[in-house]
Each structure stands twice: as C-alpha cells, then as structure tokens.
Amino acid sequence: MSKGHVDFGVPSGRALRAEPQDEASGRGLSRAVEVTLRVRYAETDAMGIVHHTNYIVWFEVGRGEYMRQQGGDYAQLEAQGYYLRVIEVQARFLAPARYGDLVTVRTRVEEARSRQVTFAYEVVMAETGQLLATGQTKHICVDEEGTVKAIPEAIRDMLRRN
Amino acid sequence: MSKGHVDFGVPSGRALRAEPQDEASGRGLSRAVEVTLRVRYAETDAMGIVHHTNYIVWFEVGRGEYMRQQGGDYAQLEAQGYYLRVIEVQARFLAPARYGDLVTVRTRVEEARSRQVTFAYEVVMAETGQLLATGQTKHICVDEEGTVKAIPEAIRDMLRRN
Amino acid sequence: MSKGHVDFGVPSGRALRAEPQDEASGRGLSRAVEVTLRVRYAETDAMGIVHHTNYIVWFEVGRGEYMRQQGGDYAQLEAQGYYLRVIEVQARFLAPARYGDLVTVRTRVEEARSRQVTFAYEVVMAETGQLLATGQTKHICVDEEGTVKAIPEAIRDMLRRN
Amino acid sequence: MSKGHVDFGVPSGRALRAEPQDEASGRGLSRAVEVTLRVRYAETDAMGIVHHTNYIVWFEVGRGEYMRQQGGDYAQLEAQGYYLRVIEVQARFLAPARYGDLVTVRTRVEEARSRQVTFAYEVVMAETGQLLATGQTKHICVDEEGTVKAIPEAIRDMLRRN
C-alpha cells in the first residue's frame, strides 16, 4: 500500500513575519508564504541542473500560493477581468538544484502601490535551507484589452494583509 | 499566520490495486500511485486551458513518484549510469484543466519486460474525479553512451513490486 | 558585420507530394510542409538530449507552418472563434537530437473529416535526413465555450489543398 | 508546391555596431547579432500573450546565435568541458507578443571580463521594430563539477570580436 507520505509540493506553513507595513506608502515587507516543489525532470537541462527559466516559473507558483493563502485567488481575479501582468523580473542564481530535489519558494509582497505591486522571492533547498536563488517581479494591473488599471483596493488589501 | 494547509501537490496515497501480476510474462497491471499537482499559470496557453504537452510532463512527474513510492529513485538510477529513455508516448485529452485546478496523476506499470517498460497514466480532476486525460509511455534502458541495455533485475523488481 | 547566413528555422520548401486525396472520404495524404528549427538549450534535459515533450511542441510548430503555407493562419482561425483542440497525440522517438542541432519537421494532413482532422509528422536531422521522431495528432474544432463544432468547410479545404 | 518563403526564425543579418571596445577593461558594447523567431503556441498563456519566461528562453537563443555568428559554438564549448552558467537575469516587458508574431532578438556582449560575461538583449516586433522587451544576463564559466573557472582567452576573444 502507498503510504502517501507528503513529498510533492506542500505549503510548508512556515511564515516569516517581517516589519510592520507602512500603510501610508504601501511599502514594507509582508510575511513570507512558502510552497515546496519537487524538481521535475523536464525542468533540467543538458548541464544536468535546473534550467534557469524554471526558477521564474517557480516564482509564479509562489505568487499564486501567496494569494491563495492570503484568501485571494488569481483565477478569480482574472474571472473579474483583472490581470496582473509581469513588467519586470530579476533573478540571481546562487547554487543549482537537480532532478528530484525538494525546493521551497518563499514569497512576500515587497510593495503594493495603487498601480504596481512588487513580489520578492527566495528559493531554498527544502531540507538544508541552502539558498539557491533570489528574485523579484513587478506587476501592473491590466484589463482584457491590456489597458492599465489601478489595482482594485480589495486586491491591494489582500496582497498586504498579514 | 499561515496555516500551511496542504494544497500543492501531494501523493494522495490512494492506491488502486489491480489484478495480480503474471510473473512469467512480466505483464499485468501494478497498483496505481497517485500524485496531485496544482496547475501552473505557465502551463496554460492562449485557449485559456492547459497546453497539451504539460499532461506529458505530468506523466513524467507521476512516473518519478511511482518509483519513489516503490522504494526506487530515478535520480539514483541515473547516478548508476542507467537512463529510462522514452521511446513512445501516447495521450488522449478528454477535458481541459485550467489554472489553479488540482489534478491527480495516477501512474501504474503496465508491463515490465527485460528490455522495455510501459507505464500507463490517468489524469483526473482531484476534487471531482473527472477524467481529463489518459496516456502511456514506453521506455528502454540506455547507458551514458545511449547503448540499449537490459533493464537491471533490481529495477524491474522495483517497478513491479506491489 | 553579420553574415546573416540563414540557420535558425526556415521552411525549407521541399514538399513531398503524396497520393491524390480521396475526396469522398477526406482521406489521403496531403503534401508535406517542412520547417527547420535549431534545438534550443532550454529544450534539452539532464540526459543531455532533447526532452521528449519538445518534439510535440515542434509538431505544433509544423502544424502552424502547414496552415501558413496552405494560405491559412491559425491565429485568424482563433480570431473567428474557432479552435483546433488537440484530442490525441502519439509520438515515437527513434534517435535523440541535441543542443544546436538543426531539425526539420515534416507535416502533412492525414485525414480531414467534418469533425476531426489528423496531422502526421516526421522530425529528421536537417543535414543527414536521419529520422528522429514520428507522430500524429488528432484535433476537433471547438468554439470559445469549448462546444464541439463542425470544422468550417473553408478550413477543411485549406487543410486539404495541394 | 511549397513556396518555402522564409518565415521561421532567421538571423536577419542586420548588425548594429556600437562604440569601439575598451580592450583594457573588457567593457564596451559589441555589435548586436539578430535572430528572428516566430512565436509558438506553446509559448502563450491564458492571458492570450507570450508567457514572460519565454523571452528569457529567447535571450538564450539570441546568445547561441551570437556565438555562432562570432565563429564560436556553445555546444563545442561544452564538449571541451566549459559551461557558461547563468548567474543573473533581468528583463523588462514593455509590450506583449502573441501567437504567430515574428519577433527579433538582438544580442550583444556588454562586458567580457576574465571571470564574468554580460549579455544584453532587445526583443522587437520584426515587422514594426516595436520594442517588446529588454534584458541582461550574467554568466560565469564552470567546469563539469561546477567549479568556477576563468573564461578561456579564446572564448573571451570570440565574445568580443567584431
């Protein structure tokens, strides 16, 4: 019988609470939300390590999990006609992950302004905590036609809630 | 505080035991191993649904999980110089999954012969059990130079163990 | 100065004309359309070869090129509210391609019925003609709600035109 | 008969010559090398546009083409046991590309020092020249064990050659 031991991607529930938000500016670090993934074979490349673009896919997974744990749901956001389009991404790769490794993505909101939100990420080896990558994404809110919109207040609240 | 509710990919531990294996032929269905994944945004396409190639990536995830739950580890297999190269894939897509959906991949070994192993897959909506896709992959064992090898007996045993 | 030598993906213009179509049944092979691609690093995996799912992405590239050379345009098809959804894929992998290789995808329509179209593919090494993979995809036509539609006559004509 | 019109990824041969290199520092922009790609359906996402990670894959395609046109070959580099590992990536997304669009990636070497090389990229709409994305990647040279190495002189020369 299968034991069903948990090992394929689990919000691990550790949350790093950062400084209190400065509500006036929308600045300040929100708590970090974590999600753990197992590296897929399709994510490796001929160097035998994870291809760098996949960390950026994992950032997106972290972002989705962040919203879900904050009580939001990106799919619902889109159903209402709002899209958080990525306008900037930045990543540093410090050590490689390999097939089968469990990696934890830590996501927090670094800044949530009326027209732009910035997420920050850390990817660590789940078992050792070794830092593999760090990164940041910036987003604007657009409607279905691609017109830039103010981020709805309810969404900004969700993003900053602690 | 984050509750850490489990929702990002968990071997769900349900195992469907099939008919006993016919040891002589290596035929017969092994039990199914399940793993649950949340659909990534990067896996969607402009139709608004999961791009069909990702089901085949999920088959591979299911395969890795199958080996892990059987006490094997594909990474170790490669460390020993054995590779299970895909020589055939076949998939039917019955209903689409969308961003954020939880999908369960059920994997079993359909046949494990001395030189070829066949895995079979089902992908279902985790909550409703709706069948989304079925498929099959066939594999041969090669060494680092790509030379075809007999599948080591220990690996065949692992693949067929119940 | 850049030499601008052509080497990154070119419909190579060789066309293999097959038997005449049997108009009554919609069966019969259309001519093959070719497109040549250079293997991307991101398409390789830890085996040092192209990950098998990418051949299926290349089939899709071949399909798009087929329509374009037949005077059609899949993007326009979607703009009119028609989608050719993949319902089945099948592929055999005979020899591996590696980073930097030029591979040629040959696409033809195997069958174009009122509600289903079947494409067939061959992927060969561009320089030697070595056969790397063969495959087939089956498609139905759906509208934006996912409802199955008859394939518009103009599209079937385009798919079968020689 | 197939017309074989060129439309699937062609180094377009336009080269933008930048300021002369400052040989002492290894700084200074090299000429830009261009390669044109057609957007694949698999590269789109549920927003109906190209998923942002694909621009970073295209940067890599541009990088490979840059080396090829400079008389180098990244595959050969690896065959000799040298790997240019990505340690940093940065990208800005200004306007979206869609399925079927022809996009041109312009790649140049921004800096080639003894232990680090920086590439810079622009992605533009091939027909209109509209700027879609800009970016930068930084690389170190590692051997098969992942040990950091000085970039071989011949490779630095190739990267800076004009």
Side-chain angles (χ1 to χ4, degrees):
Chain A
M1 257 290 296
S2 161
K3 304 298 173 23
H5 58 104
V6 171
D7 70 350
F8 203 93
V10 201
S12 50
R14 278 167 292 171
L16 303 176
R17 187 62 181 76
E19 308 86 275
Q21 299 234 8
D22 174 347
E23 293 294 340
S25 71
R27 279 197 157 275
L29 307 181
S30 68
R31 63 156 190 161
V33 165
E34 297 191 347
V35 61
T36 295
L37 309 170
R38 190 177 290 281
V39 173
R40 301 173 175 189
Y41 205 84
E43 293 171 335
T44 61
D45 67 21
M47 285 193 207
I49 60 176
V50 170
H51 191 263
H52 60 289
T53 50
N54 292 298
Y55 293 87
I56 297 168
V57 171
W58 298 345
F59 291 171
E60 187 175 71
V61 170
R63 211 150 67 225
E65 192 56 38
Y66 180 93
M67 294 191 214
R68 220 167 277 120
Q69 291 208 17
Q70 292 285 95
D73 179 343
Y74 183 70
Q76 277 177 26
L77 196 66
E78 288 205 349
Q80 291 162 36
Y82 294 103
Y83 300 80
L84 285 181
R85 187 185 285 176
V86 183
I87 56 163
E88 205 174 312
V89 65
Q90 194 193 315
R92 283 175 182 241
F93 309 103
L94 307 162
R98 288 181 166 75
Y99 170 66
D101 286 344
L102 285 171
V103 296
T104 297
V105 185
R106 285 185 195 135
T107 307
R108 57 192 166 71
V109 168
E110 206 164 87
E111 193 175 21
R113 292 188 298 170
S114 62
R115 294 188 163 263
Q116 192 173 301
V117 55
T118 305
F119 287 89
Y121 314 88
E122 282 178 3
V123 180
V124 302
M125 207 61 99
E127 282 161 43
T128 63
Q130 186 193 8
L131 189 60
L132 303 177
T134 62
Q136 211 185 44
T137 56
K138 294 190 181 182
H139 305 255
I140 52 170
C141 188
V142 298
D143 63 16
E144 286 185 0
E145 277 73 41
T147 311
V148 181
K149 295 288 184 188
I151 300 171
E153 193 58 38
I155 292 166
R156 292 174 62 201
D157 281 352
M158 178 271 283
L159 291 173
R160 289 186 296 198
R161 191 180 308 141
N162 286 280
Chain B
M1 258 294 294
S2 162
K3 303 297 173 23
H5 57 102
V6 171
D7 70 352
F8 203 93
V10 201
S12 49
R14 276 167 293 170
L16 303 175
R17 187 63 182 75
E19 307 86 274
Q21 298 234 9
D22 174 348
E23 292 296 337
S25 71
R27 277 198 158 277
L29 306 182
S30 67
R31 64 160 189 157
V33 164
E34 297 191 346
V35 60
T36 295
L37 308 171
R38 189 178 291 283
V39 173
R40 301 173 175 189
Y41 205 84
E43 293 172 334
T44 61
D45 68 20
M47 284 192 208
I49 60 178
V50 169
H51 190 264
H52 60 290
T53 50
N54 291 297
Y55 292 87
I56 296 168
V57 171
W58 298 345
F59 291 171
E60 186 175 69
V61 170
R63 211 150 67 226
E65 192 55 38
Y66 180 92
M67 294 190 214
R68 220 166 278 120
Q69 292 208 17
Q70 293 286 92
D73 180 343
Y74 183 70
Q76 276 177 25
L77 196 66
E78 288 206 350
Q80 290 162 36
Y82 295 103
Y83 299 80
L84 286 181
R85 188 184 283 174
V86 183
I87 56 162
E88 204 175 313
V89 64
Q90 192 193 315
R92 283 175 182 241
F93 309 104
L94 307 162
R98 290 183 165 74
Y99 171 66
D101 286 346
L102 284 171
V103 295
T104 296
V105 185
R106 282 182 197 138
T107 306
R108 54 190 168 72
V109 169
E110 207 164 86
E111 191 175 20
R113 292 187 299 168
S114 61
R115 297 189 161 262
Q116 192 173 301
V117 55
T118 305
F119 287 89
Y121 313 88
E122 283 178 2
V123 180
V124 301
M125 207 59 100
E127 281 161 45
T128 62
Q130 186 193 7
L131 189 60
L132 303 177
T134 62
Q136 211 186 44
T137 56
K138 294 190 180 181
H139 305 256
I140 52 169
C141 188
V142 297
D143 64 14
E144 287 185 359
E145 278 71 43
T147 311
V148 180
K149 296 288 185 189
I151 301 173
E153 193 58 39
I155 293 166
R156 291 173 63 200
D157 282 352
M158 178 271 284
L159 291 173
R160 289 185 296 197
R161 192 178 306 143
N162 285 281
Chain C
M1 256 293 295
S2 162
K3 304 300 170 25
H5 57 103
V6 171
D7 71 351
F8 203 95
V10 201
S12 49
R14 279 168 290 170
L16 302 176
R17 187 64 182 74
E19 308 84 276
Q21 300 233 9
D22 173 349
E23 293 296 339
S25 71
R27 276 195 160 276
L29 306 182
S30 67
R31 62 156 191 163
V33 164
E34 297 192 346
V35 60
T36 295
L37 308 170
R38 189 179 290 282
V39 173
R40 301 173 175 190
Y41 205 85
E43 292 171 336
T44 62
D45 67 21
M47 284 192 207
I49 60 176
V50 170
H51 191 263
H52 60 291
T53 50
N54 292 298
Y55 292 87
I56 297 167
V57 171
W58 299 344
F59 291 171
E60 186 175 70
V61 170
R63 211 150 67 225
E65 191 55 39
Y66 181 92
M67 294 191 214
R68 220 167 278 120
Q69 292 208 18
Q70 293 285 93
D73 179 344
Y74 183 70
Q76 278 177 23
L77 196 67
E78 289 206 349
Q80 290 162 36
Y82 294 103
Y83 300 80
L84 286 182
R85 189 184 282 176
V86 183
I87 56 163
E88 204 174 314
V89 65
Q90 192 193 317
R92 282 173 183 242
F93 309 104
L94 307 163
R98 289 183 164 77
Y99 170 66
D101 286 345
L102 284 171
V103 297
T104 296
V105 186
R106 285 186 195 133
T107 307
R108 55 192 167 72
V109 168
E110 206 164 270
E111 192 176 21
R113 292 188 297 169
S114 62
R115 296 188 161 264
Q116 191 173 303
V117 55
T118 304
F119 287 90
Y121 314 88
E122 282 178 3
V123 180
V124 301
M125 207 60 98
E127 281 160 45
T128 63
Q130 186 194 8
L131 190 60
L132 303 177
T134 61
Q136 210 185 47
T137 57
K138 293 189 182 183
H139 305 256
I140 50 169
C141 188
V142 298
D143 63 15
E144 288 185 358
E145 278 72 42
T147 311
V148 181
K149 297 287 186 187
I151 301 173
E153 192 59 38
I155 292 166
R156 291 174 63 202
D157 281 351
M158 179 270 284
L159 291 173
R160 290 186 295 196
R161 192 178 308 143
N162 285 280
Chain D
M1 258 290 297
S2 163
K3 307 298 174 21
H5 57 103
V6 171
D7 70 352
F8 203 94
V10 201
S12 49
R14 275 168 292 171
L16 303 176
R17 186 66 182 72
E19 307 87 274
Q21 298 231 13
D22 174 347
E23 293 295 337
S25 71
R27 277 196 160 279
L29 307 181
S30 68
R31 62 158 191 161
V33 164
E34 298 191 344
V35 60
T36 295
L37 308 170
R38 190 179 291 282
V39 173
R40 301 172 175 190
Y41 205 84
E43 293 172 334
T44 62
D45 67 21
M47 285 190 205
I49 60 176
V50 170
H51 190 263
H52 60 291
T53 50
N54 292 298
Y55 292 87
I56 296 167
V57 172
W58 298 345
F59 291 171
E60 187 174 70
V61 170
R63 211 151 65 228
E65 192 54 39
Y66 180 92
M67 293 190 216
R68 219 166 278 120
Q69 292 209 15
Q70 294 285 95
D73 180 344
Y74 183 70
Q76 277 178 23
L77 196 66
E78 290 206 349
Q80 291 162 35
Y82 294 103
Y83 299 80
L84 286 181
R85 188 185 284 174
V86 183
I87 56 164
E88 204 175 313
V89 64
Q90 194 193 315
R92 282 175 183 241
F93 309 103
L94 307 163
R98 289 182 165 76
Y99 170 65
D101 287 345
L102 284 171
V103 296
T104 297
V105 185
R106 282 182 197 137
T107 307
R108 56 192 167 71
V109 169
E110 206 163 87
E111 193 175 18
R113 292 188 298 168
S114 61
R115 295 189 162 265
Q116 193 174 299
V117 55
T118 305
F119 287 89
Y121 313 87
E122 283 178 3
V123 180
V124 301
M125 208 59 102
E127 281 161 44
T128 63
Q130 186 193 8
L131 190 59
L132 303 177
T134 61
Q136 211 184 45
T137 56
K138 294 189 181 182
H139 306 256
I140 52 169
C141 188
V142 298
D143 64 14
E144 286 186 358
E145 278 71 43
T147 311
V148 181
K149 295 289 185 189
I151 300 172
E153 193 59 37
I155 293 165
R156 291 173 64 202
D157 282 352
M158 178 270 284
L159 291 173
R160 288 185 297 198
R161 193 177 307 142
N162 283 280

